[in-house]
Amino acid sequence: MVKKLAVALEIGSSKLRVMIARKGLNNTFNILDSAEVAYDGYFQGEFVDFEKLKSSLSEIFESVDYINKKYNKKLYVGLPAEFIGVEVVEADINFDSYKKIKKSDIDCLFEEGAGKIMSDGVEIISTSAISYCLDEGGRILSDPIGKKARQLSAEISVVIASKETIEKFNEIFASLGFISVEYVSETLTEALLVIPKEEREHECLLIDSGHLSTSISFVKGDGLLSLTPYSLGGGYITGDLCENFAVSYKNAEKLKKQMVVSVKGGRGDFYDLVTETGVERINLQDANNVVLQRLEDIGRAINKTVQNYSRDYIGFLPTYLTGSALTKLKGAKDYISKCIGRNIALGVADIPGQDKPEFACILGILNYALNT
């Protein structure tokens, strides 16, 4: 029997990424094709140039020869945090007598929960359970299938997007020849891949920091409890270096790659930046201070989100970091950890050769696609 093939699209804040794969041995992926294309990204929930996005999508799919290789039957599209919302609702169903819980009962529960927030301008992307409860005041559990009860209730996470956004994307993908498209939350699929199930029995914090956007989410069970995006990311750090040291964006990116922000240094310490015209000496202490100021902004955003989520201090809070903005900048993860007063683990897929935080998003979409 031919194994299921999945085509996944990640819509990042600076690049698009496509990956085509089948399941491999031991929960690995057999990646058949992949491609990346840079584009203008998005800002505060709006694409910088939507027309250019169309041509970038066409370019990336053509680069994997998606029509001739018949990759255009079904597409799984990850929607970024800035384009979705999360609502948590409660739902319950009653039975005439004690009965064994089936998947169809779970589906009814999700349908009831989704019905509580349906409206004309909203598209429901997914429904997933934070936790289940058998009978009133009964046991809280993560999987009720096969258990017996007279009542089943659940705390349900519903991911939504605007119908206008979905309709715009549907037009693009239809014009590219895709027969079916399923939209997922990049944040949720990423969380389900990189945060162990046993950790998700409690509340977890996931920080995904990209080029122009950083999302901060609370995760529990199989769902999102909350999701907060900020227009902050690695591109802002690059912009700060451009402005403060009068270097081009390209050279600022080059400078950022060689920086170690955990090193204090002295007034006589420099970064030697090799440019098109020679070597430019950038004071190490000054450059690090510029970057640390922006990292403090990100740290404050995380702390604000945690405080808004709960007035009470949450002691045990496993915290994971994904994306490339903070994980590739040497010393940034540890500095953010100090800003928020919590240990931070890198959020990576447990897959040899693909265990990098910048791949967590696309692999999360693939993981969902290959297991549904």
Side-chain angles (χ1 to χ4, degrees), residues 202-228:
H202 309 278
E203 293 165 328
C204 297
L205 187 66
L206 177 64
I207 305 159
D208 183 345
S209 192
H211 187 67
L212 296 176
S213 183
T214 294
S215 68
I216 302 157
S217 57
F218 276 89
V219 183
K220 187 178 180 182
D222 291 333
L224 298 175
L225 289 163
S226 73
L227 177 61
T228 307

Side-chain angles (χ1 to χ4, degrees), residues 93-106 134-135 144 146-152:
I93 52 176
N94 296 288
F95 310 115
D96 294 333
S97 60
Y98 276 97
K99 64 159 286 185
K100 189 177 287 188
I101 307 298
K102 299 178 181 178
K103 184 182 180 301
S104 58
D105 300 316
I106 304 295
L134 298 179
D135 298 320
K147 305 293 190 298
K148 288 186 176 181
R150 294 193 66 160
Q151 183 189 60
L152 176 65

Side-chain angles (χ1 to χ4, degrees), residues 297-333:
D297 289 343
I298 296 173
R300 278 192 292 269
I302 297 168
N303 284 328
K304 178 183 175 183
T305 302
V306 174
Q307 289 162 10
N308 287 342
Y309 174 76
S310 174
R311 292 182 180 180
D312 298 324
Y313 177 77
I314 305 172
F316 178 70
L317 185 62
T319 303
Y320 291 83
L321 175 66
T322 63
S324 60
L326 303 181
T327 58
K328 286 191 170 183
L329 177 57
K330 300 178 189 71
K333 178 177 78 72

Side-chain angles (χ1 to χ4, degrees), residues 106-120:
I106 304 295
D107 293 339
C108 288
L109 203 62
F110 285 171
E111 189 175 339
E112 182 191 330
K116 292 186 175 184
I117 60 170
M118 289 181 70
S119 66
D120 291 341

Side-chain angles (χ1 to χ4, degrees), residues 238-276:
T238 309
D240 292 340
L241 292 172
C242 287
E243 184 178 340
N244 281 273
F245 302 105
V247 295
S248 69
Y249 195 87
K250 178 182 176 182
N251 286 329
E253 277 287 326
K254 190 183 294 185
L255 171 62
K256 189 170 71 172
K257 288 178 181 177
Q258 69 184 84
M259 292 179 68
V260 183
V261 297
S262 55
V263 175
K264 290 186 177 180
R267 297 310 303 174
D269 294 315
F270 296 85
Y271 291 114
D272 290 328
L273 176 63
V274 180
T275 69
E276 298 83 356

Side-chain angles (χ1 to χ4, degrees), residues 10 17 186 189-191 193-194 206 208 321-323 346-349 354-367:
E10 174 190 350
R17 181 178 280 145
E186 289 184 348
T189 55
E190 185 177 58
L193 178 68
V194 305
L206 177 64
D208 183 345
L321 175 66
T322 63
L346 290 179
V348 298
Q354 296 162 350
D355 52 349
K356 294 182 179 180
E358 61 265 35
F359 294 150
C361 183
I362 188 67
L363 293 176
I365 302 167
L366 263 183
N367 184 59

